[in-house]
Amino acid sequence: MFSKTRRIAAYPLLVIALVWAVLMGISIGTVHIPILSVVNIIWSNIFQTPLAAHVADMHENIVMNIRLPRVVLSGLVGASLAIAGAAFQGLLRNPLADPYTIGVSSGASVGAVLTLFFNLSLPFIGLYTLPVVSIMASFITIFLVLFFARQVDRTMRVETIILTGVIFSSFLGAMISLMIALTGEELRQIIGWLLGSVAMRGWEYVGIILPFFIIGTVILLLHAKELNAMSFGEDQAKHLGVNVERKKLNVLIAGSLLTGAAVAVSGTIGFVGLVIPHFIRILWGPDHKHLLPLSILAGAAFLILADLVSRIIIAPAVLPIGVITALIGAPIFALILMRRRFERS
Amino acid sequence: MKEVDCMIDVNQVTGGYSNEPIIKDVSLNVLKYEFFGIIGPNGSGKTTLAKLLSALLPVQTGAIQLAGRPLSEYAPKELARLMAVLPQHSSQTFSYTVYETVSLGRYAHQKGFFNSFTQEDEEIVQDVMRQTGVVDYQHAKLDELSGGERQRVYLAQALAQKPAILLLDEPTNHLDLAYQKDLLDVLKRWTLENKLTVISIFHDLNLAGLYCDRLLLLKNGQNIICDKPDEVLKKERLECVYGTKIEKNPHPKVPKPQIMLVPEQLSRAIEPEEIGPHLLKHIDDMIWLQTPTPMKTMSSSVTGAGLGWYRHFVNRHVDKGYDCSDHRAEMKRYLIEKGLDPNDTAGMMTAVHLEQAASGLFEGDGFSVFVMVTAGVGNALDVTQGEQHVKAYTPGTINTWVLVNGDMRDESFIQAIVTATEAKTKALREMAVMDQLTGNVATGTSTDSILIAATQKGTVLEFAGPIAPLGQVVARGVYECTIQALKNDRNWRHDS
């Protein structure tokens, strides 16, 4: 039972968790910055007030140019992956579905690896070549998946989409392996990117993901009711009055946009899109009206903390963030599944 | 039929999945506030037709009109406001609560960019949850509910759409008897109160016949017949469409037909053993006849009265002073005491001593009749003077058994009763039995009982009137046995 009060309590709880994660993420590192200074620096930069006397200039530089963009970026990536995962799971009626299942992540990865492999640099966008190619590749992938699914089955049933996505994922995964096998000295760079990282990206990367994040999130939040209806099966959703074909396309596009942008700026970071929505659903129920916004908050907080752990656990060396999410996410996921199994029996 | 009264008009529709049309050239129309049933064997296209009606599948040729407008012109939300569907199966991947599930029914009514849930929506949701009896567990998760409860939740969701038409696919599938009846009663009431038009697929022909105003019978995607249940549920038609042997009977309480299957093992013709005197036994105070297989029986016995199938036939002697206040229960106890199953026994009572019983086997052409009569004439009367005999029920005085080795029709049972009664009356006159009160010739006694039973195997005996072969034998047998029984009675009284 998910009482209304319990669900409403979820919002302040997760907002507090997110704020705490942001402050921790900025404060902790090789150079420790007191939380009060962090608050002061951010406050003064937003409202253009003078810094307090006790705050060091170096700290302001670290916060504003290194740690804050990194925390914001990991927050946006975590939020994008979580809400996209929640939406894909509702749409495909499969709690194990996520951006990876329907091939979107693999598509984005192929785009990124291609850029690295051929050392591409498109005119005018230079530095942005990798994210742009990556997002384009994720779009091409989702449209190819949908196109083939439609060829197989005109009504594009969910099973057909998942199957097509799995086939595309395998094929694209093989292409990535092929490029890695053919790479010499670039190997480390590609592998590093594939494992995912939000390090040393700066504000430009925040600028890349932000518009996609806003557009994708708004579209998905407007489709909460349709996702609820489609959770009961496409036929049932149709009977309830949902224009299934169109809404399904909207959700798929928005989800791909979010995934493509996230993969472009941070590489492939697994388990966020899978674990976070699952977690929210168990705690606060499957209603997408709440599941989607709560997934944004929890996803952001989770990835910020995961990034923090990746920075400090073997400091000064940095672990790829994908390793952390998998190391934390997989056992939690296993625990959740086992608990559910015990509850049922 | 007026144009306005037609809710759904299906005109020569062909459709199904991609290449292979499943529904072929089907036409039908459903009237406003009608309870319309779709029946047919597995694979006949019932569900496909429902999907065509709910626009899940496209029509290939032909046209479907809904409330006077082509189905294809409806926007999804418009259609959902007009027609709700209760599906056979519903997938639930995530555990929504009952309330959340029912609320989704309001989707089609929510307007504006944010589809906001209004106070009116809330009231309707609470209202339909009360109507379907799920309001008490509205905060429970769907996967915590039983199949029947879940079915009612989905019904509530459909009703929350406030539809004019409700389309159901085997709504009683997972429900036990009481829930089946409750659900269909409610749907029927709503059609009668002019609130809803119901179209439902039925697997159970009896339920379909009981509740539907009209039925469509499909086979191989084609319309076999669309008419009133009495016309559609004809034995020969159903046997042909379903390819199996069935029997049809009237419902005991309401004027609707009921279909019965005939299990192969039970209907297989066992070489019948002739029912005859060798089966008759006198044990203590009863005459008991046990048959190897049950006999179809029509009787006015104490237990097993009316129509039924019985293997035991008992004529029991009771004293004249027998307390008749609760004779049925007492008779049951008596049978159980004797080791007989009251549900398998047609049992009569008589005050006559059983030594006076007369019986005999009478041969006909391809059949035979075994008759047993016990006759006492203490209460003999003229049937037209009954009002003068004010006397409470006392145990029967002329009990007649007619056991037929043959296959009788319902009408021949009735004719056999008439023939046997006339033969008895003739015997009474022959023996000059008088109504003591009025001095007229008696036609029977005040509490006579009769039993006609047949093995339902062998020669088909369609008639049992006085000139039919069976009638002739019954008349002769009853007449002779009654005369003999009356003689025995006279001798016995004479002796004692």
Side-chain angles (χ1 to χ4, degrees):
Chain A
M1 198 208 277
F2 311 105
S3 65
K4 270 188 175 162
T5 45
R6 195 178 145 192
R7 198 142 56 189
I8 284 166
Y11 288 92
L13 196 74
L14 285 179
V15 167
I16 290 168
L18 178 57
V19 170
W20 179 75
V22 168
L23 293 177
M24 285 296 133
I26 298 173
S27 166
I28 301 169
T30 40
V31 177
H32 176 77
I33 302 168
I35 286 188
L36 272 180
S37 307
V38 173
V39 174
N40 191 266
I41 291 166
I42 295 174
W43 183 274
S44 69
N45 271 278
I46 291 174
F47 299 101
Q48 301 296 323
T49 52
L51 275 183
H54 62 87
V55 178
D57 282 355
M58 185 191 69
H59 283 181
E60 187 186 11
N61 194 29
I62 293 177
V63 169
M64 292 315 296
N65 293 330
I66 300 175
R67 295 224 182 129
L68 186 58
R70 180 174 185 149
V71 163
V72 171
L73 185 65
S74 45
L76 288 175
V77 168
S80 302
L81 292 175
I83 190 177
F88 282 138
Q89 285 165 19
L91 181 72
L92 304 181
R93 291 198 307 286
N94 189 339
L96 296 177
D98 78 341
Y100 293 83
T101 320
I102 57 171
V104 184
S105 291
S106 308
S109 301
V110 166
V113 173
L114 268 178
T115 316
L116 295 170
F117 184 69
F118 291 111
N119 222 343
L120 287 180
S121 180
L122 296 177
F124 307 117
I125 52 174
L127 184 67
Y128 294 96
T129 304
L130 189 139
V132 169
V133 172
S134 200
I135 289 176
M136 304 259 289
S138 76
F139 265 113
I140 292 170
T141 311
I142 190 69
F143 280 110
L144 280 178
V145 168
L146 293 181
F147 174 76
F148 277 98
R150 193 185 284 270
Q151 291 306 104
V152 178
D153 166 13
R154 208 173 53 83
T155 55
M156 292 216 296
R157 302 197 65 85
V158 162
E159 296 78 11
T160 320
I161 295 179
I162 291 189
L163 213 58
T164 318
V166 168
I167 293 167
F168 267 74
S169 283
S170 315
F171 180 74
L172 296 172
M175 273 178 66
I176 295 171
S177 303
L178 179 71
M179 281 186 278
I180 291 173
L182 295 175
T183 318
E185 66 276 15
E186 291 293 325
L187 185 70
R188 206 185 144 74
Q189 200 193 341
I190 292 180
I191 298 272
W193 187 87
L194 278 177
L195 288 173
S197 168
V198 285
M200 293 308 169
R201 298 290 210 252
W203 287 111
E204 309 86 57
Y205 277 71
V206 173
I208 291 168
I209 191 176
L210 194 62
F212 297 105
F213 171 75
I214 292 170
I215 295 170
T217 302
V218 168
I219 294 177
L220 288 187
L221 288 177
L222 288 176
H223 283 73
K225 285 214 166 139
E226 285 79 1
L227 282 170
N228 281 337
M230 284 191 271
S231 301
F232 286 89
E234 290 180 34
D235 287 357
Q236 185 66 4
K238 244 182 214 178
H239 295 322
L240 291 169
V242 177
N243 189 341
V244 171
E245 316 250 301
R246 194 201 297 162
K247 304 288 179 182
K248 185 161 60 178
L249 193 67
N250 292 352
V251 171
L252 282 173
I253 288 177
S256 312
L257 205 66
L258 288 163
T259 315
V263 171
V265 296
S266 64
T268 52
I269 299 173
F271 277 99
V272 182
L274 198 62
V275 173
I276 297 295
H278 213 93
F279 210 67
I280 303 288
R281 227 180 259 121
I282 284 172
L283 288 176
W284 294 295
D287 185 349
H288 288 82
K289 226 163 52 197
H290 302 287
L291 174 65
L292 297 178
L294 292 176
S295 291
I296 292 178
L297 295 173
F302 175 72
L303 206 66
I304 291 170
L305 292 177
D307 180 47
L308 176 63
V309 172
S310 80
R311 278 188 286 135
I312 59 174
I313 199 159
I314 53 163
V318 173
L319 264 183
I321 191 170
V323 173
I324 300 294
T325 56
L327 283 179
I328 300 174
I332 289 180
F333 194 66
L335 271 178
I336 292 170
L337 279 180
M338 266 159 58
R339 213 190 75 184
R340 275 180 60 149
R341 174 63 50 92
F342 285 127
E343 269 177 7
R344 287 217 174 135
S345 59
Chain B
M1 164 198 348
K2 278 187 297 178
E3 183 81 6
V4 221
D5 291 341
C6 186
M7 206 66 189
I8 298 179
D9 180 42
V10 175
N11 194 4
Q12 295 185 306
V13 159
T14 295
Y17 300 91
S18 40
N19 305 322
E20 197 74 25
I22 292 178
I23 293 296
K24 294 163 204 134
D25 199 29
V26 168
S27 295
L28 65 103
N29 52 65
V30 179
L31 305 182
K32 220 171 187 176
Y33 310 129
E34 191 171 23
F35 200 130
F36 189 90
I38 302 172
I39 56 172
N42 289 339
S44 59
K46 302 187 292 287
T47 300
T48 308
L49 179 60
K51 284 186 174 177
L52 288 166
L53 289 176
S54 57
L56 284 188
L57 287 175
V59 170
Q60 285 166 9
T61 61
I64 300 178
Q65 296 247 338
L66 227 58
R69 261 176 74 194
L71 178 62
S72 52
E73 279 183 15
Y74 282 88
K77 277 194 175 186
E78 272 183 303
L79 185 60
R81 287 196 291 265
L82 181 66
M83 175 164 67
V85 181
L86 186 66
Q88 197 179 354
H89 310 286
S90 219
S91 75
Q92 329 143 32
T93 318
F94 307 115
S95 31
Y96 284 90
T97 66
V98 170
Y99 175 81
E100 287 166 341
T101 308
V102 177
S103 304
L104 273 175
R106 298 301 299 159
Y107 175 82
H109 291 268
Q110 289 158 7
K111 297 187 187 75
F113 200 57
F114 293 103
N115 285 340
S116 48
F117 199 72
T118 62
Q119 187 61 38
E120 191 200 347
D121 291 327
E122 175 66 30
E123 275 161 20
I124 289 170
V125 166
Q126 292 297 333
D127 200 39
V128 293
M129 284 197 298
R130 264 192 299 276
Q131 278 175 24
T132 50
V134 299
V135 73
D136 289 338
Y137 42 90
Q138 57 174 305
H139 295 299
K141 293 187 217 163
L142 276 190
D143 52 8
E144 295 165 349
L145 304 182
S146 73
E149 290 168 326
R150 219 174 295 151
Q151 186 80 336
R152 284 191 284 160
V153 172
Y154 287 118
L155 178 67
Q157 187 189 55
L159 293 175
Q161 290 176 237
K162 287 278 157 197
I165 306 167
L166 185 60
L167 181 63
L168 308 106
D169 192 349
E170 292 186 25
T172 56
N173 222 0
H174 307 288
L175 305 183
D176 63 30
L177 276 180
Y179 278 139
Q180 291 188 5
K181 180 182 168 297
D182 287 350
L183 174 68
L184 294 172
D185 280 349
V186 163
L187 295 176
K188 185 73 185 175
R189 195 171 70 230
W190 285 330
T191 61
L192 292 175
E193 291 171 357
N194 287 358
K195 288 179 180 164
L196 205 59
T197 303
V198 173
I199 305 166
S200 178
I201 294 177
F202 278 98
H203 208 71
D204 187 322
L205 299 180
N206 290 329
L207 284 179
L210 281 177
Y211 285 94
C212 295
D213 298 317
R214 280 189 308 148
L215 290 175
L216 168 72
L217 176 60
L218 283 177
K219 191 193 183 182
N220 296 328
Q222 279 163 324
N223 179 346
I224 300 292
I225 183 176
C226 179
D227 208 325
K228 297 213 155 34
D230 267 332
E231 182 59 37
V232 174
L233 300 176
K234 284 247 154 74
K235 176 172 148 71
E236 294 72 23
R237 183 171 1 253
L238 294 178
E239 284 185 339
C240 168
V241 167
Y242 282 84
T244 187
K245 219 176 133 48
I246 57 151
E247 288 294 334
K248 193 176 136 179
N249 248 346
H251 190 284
K253 285 270 188 263
V254 295
K256 298 276 188 177
Q258 293 285 283
I259 313 297
M260 279 128 198
L261 289 173
V262 185
E264 188 188 313
Q265 285 75 13
L266 295 183
S267 69
R268 197 176 290 152
I270 309 167
E271 198 48 55
E273 186 189 343
E274 189 176 55
I275 308 301
H278 62 290
L279 294 173
L280 200 65
K281 293 189 176 84
H282 286 252
I283 296 171
D284 306 334
D285 53 352
M286 69 176 188
I287 292 176
W288 169 41
L289 187 144
Q290 181 185 2
T291 63
T293 53
M295 292 178 85
K296 187 174 183 180
T297 307
M298 188 183 272
S299 79
S300 56
S301 316
V302 178
T303 66
L307 206 56
W309 289 79
Y310 303 102
R311 277 191 307 163
H312 299 281
F313 300 89
V314 166
N315 191 15
R316 172 192 171 199
H317 167 74
V318 294
D319 286 331
K320 278 214 151 61
Y322 175 76
D323 172 17
C324 293
S325 56
D326 191 6
H327 61 288
R328 278 207 180 80
E330 195 279 331
M331 183 72 171
K332 266 187 191 161
R333 280 197 297 278
Y334 170 84
L335 290 173
I336 291 167
E337 224 167 80
K338 294 281 168 187
L340 295 174
D341 177 359
N343 297 316
D344 200 13
T345 307
M348 292 178 173
M349 293 187 194
T350 178
V352 174
H353 288 272
L354 299 175
E355 295 76 26
Q356 303 166 27
S359 64
L361 184 66
F362 300 86
E363 296 288 338
D365 185 13
F367 66 94
S368 61
V369 178
F370 178 66
V371 180
M372 194 285 306
V373 177
T374 54
V377 289
N379 303 320
L381 53 71
D382 172 356
V383 71
T384 60
Q385 305 296 319
E387 70 269 19
Q388 303 201 24
H389 293 256
V390 274
K391 201 168 183 189
Y393 175 88
T394 53
T397 26
I398 299 181
N399 287 351
T400 310
W401 288 359
V402 176
L403 307 177
V404 179
N405 292 295
D407 188 358
M408 287 172 76
R409 295 284 163 266
D410 282 357
E411 50 270 41
S412 46
F413 273 91
I414 294 166
Q415 288 167 344
I417 290 174
V418 175
T419 306
T421 307
E422 287 166 359
K424 172 190 76 182
T425 304
K426 162 93 173 163
L428 287 174
R429 204 172 64 201
E430 204 79 351
M431 294 296 289
V433 176
M434 308 303 276
D435 179 338
Q436 300 296 335
L437 215 67
T438 59
N440 295 344
V441 176
T443 56
T445 78
S446 54
T447 49
D448 288 354
S449 208
I450 189 162
L451 178 150
I452 312 284
T455 55
Q456 297 303 80
K457 293 189 175 72
T459 313
V460 174
L461 302 161
E462 275 193 74
F463 306 105
I467 58 164
L470 175 61
Q472 290 172 25
V473 177
V474 167
R476 196 177 84 229
V478 171
Y479 174 75
E480 285 178 15
C481 287
T482 309
I483 294 267
Q484 187 57 51
L486 288 169
K487 280 182 181 159
N488 292 349
D489 182 50
R490 250 171 224 181
N491 293 339
W492 197 85
R493 277 193 290 177
H494 204 258
D495 292 349
S496 58

